[in-house]
Amino acid sequence: MTEFRIGRGTDRHLFVEGRPLMLGGIKIPHHLGLKGHSDADAVLHALSDALLGALAMGDIGEHFSDTDPQNKDLDSTKILKYCLTLLRSEQWFIGNCDVIIHCQQPKIGPHRLALRESLAKLLNCAIDKVSVKAKTAEGLGPVGEGLCLDAEAIVLISK
Ligand code: MG
């Protein structure tokens, strides 16, 4: 009998000058990037936390300390790959994932396909299992004021 599990992850990073904007493993052209100890890829952090949630294996802060100098400017694809190794070691497979990016700027729509392609490649799954959606905050709150970017991810796994 097929067994299913679901996991959810969220993340928030502040916009700052002088850093590239990394989302879903790709660089998005923008005059601001995200502040963080790692490369601050909020999409990969939310997705990794969703996978760990489905596995009931804690959160990425437990596995990758944000005070460890070794994780400074860490390529977040390494975090996701680490979570996928845990997933596969327990014989789980990705069912699908749905990602939501909340930001006022930049517009995510023109990059949606590239984001889906990047995530499908990283997850080693078909692109039709990977959804990326984007929302502005109608100018309200820290997201709406352009202070930060929020990411949410939900993932279904099966075996
Ligand atoms: Mg993060």
Side-chain angles (χ1 to χ4, degrees):
M1 198 174 103
T2 307
E3 195 178 342
F4 296 99
R5 287 194 180 182
I6 195 164
R8 178 169 181 255
T10 69
D11 199 23
R12 165 174 286 183
H13 283 267
L14 291 172
F15 278 112
V16 288
E17 291 181 352
R19 297 215 357 144
L21 177 57
M22 298 301 299
L23 289 177
I26 61 173
K27 188 177 166 184
I28 304 289
H30 193 46
H31 67 288
L32 300 172
L34 294 173
K35 184 180 178 183
H37 187 65
S38 67
D39 66 5
D41 190 323
V43 167
L44 294 188
H45 294 179
L47 191 53
S48 297
D49 257 349
L51 287 170
L52 289 174
L55 294 167
M57 287 188 177
D59 58 43
I60 57 174
E62 279 180 43
H63 296 266
F64 293 88
S65 164
D66 64 3
T67 54
D68 186 340
Q70 277 200 333
N71 294 335
K72 178 97 177 76
D73 296 324
L74 178 70
D75 174 354
S76 295
T77 63
K78 289 183 182 162
I79 299 176
L80 186 66
K81 284 174 185 167
Y82 168 85
C83 296
L84 288 169
T85 303
L86 295 177
L87 188 89
R88 290 185 189 123
S89 71
E90 307 260 332
Q91 287 84 50
W92 291 98
F93 293 92
I94 302 281
N96 72 302
C97 69
D98 190 14
V99 170
I100 309 175
I101 299 168
H102 300 268
C103 65
Q104 203 65 28
Q105 288 288 334
K107 290 287 175 215
I108 299 298
H111 309 291
R112 187 196 309 270
L113 182 59
L115 283 162
R116 291 179 65 213
E117 284 172 345
S118 175
L119 292 176
K121 191 174 173 189
L122 289 168
L123 294 168
N124 194 27
C125 72
I127 194 166
D128 67 353
K129 293 182 170 187
V130 179
S131 161
V132 173
K133 301 184 298 212
K135 313 282 286 182
T136 69
E138 300 285 344
L140 297 171
V143 169
E145 290 169 14
L147 299 176
C148 64
L149 177 146
D150 287 358
E152 293 182 66
I154 194 158
V155 62
L156 185 82
I157 60 173
S158 65
K159 72 172 169 184

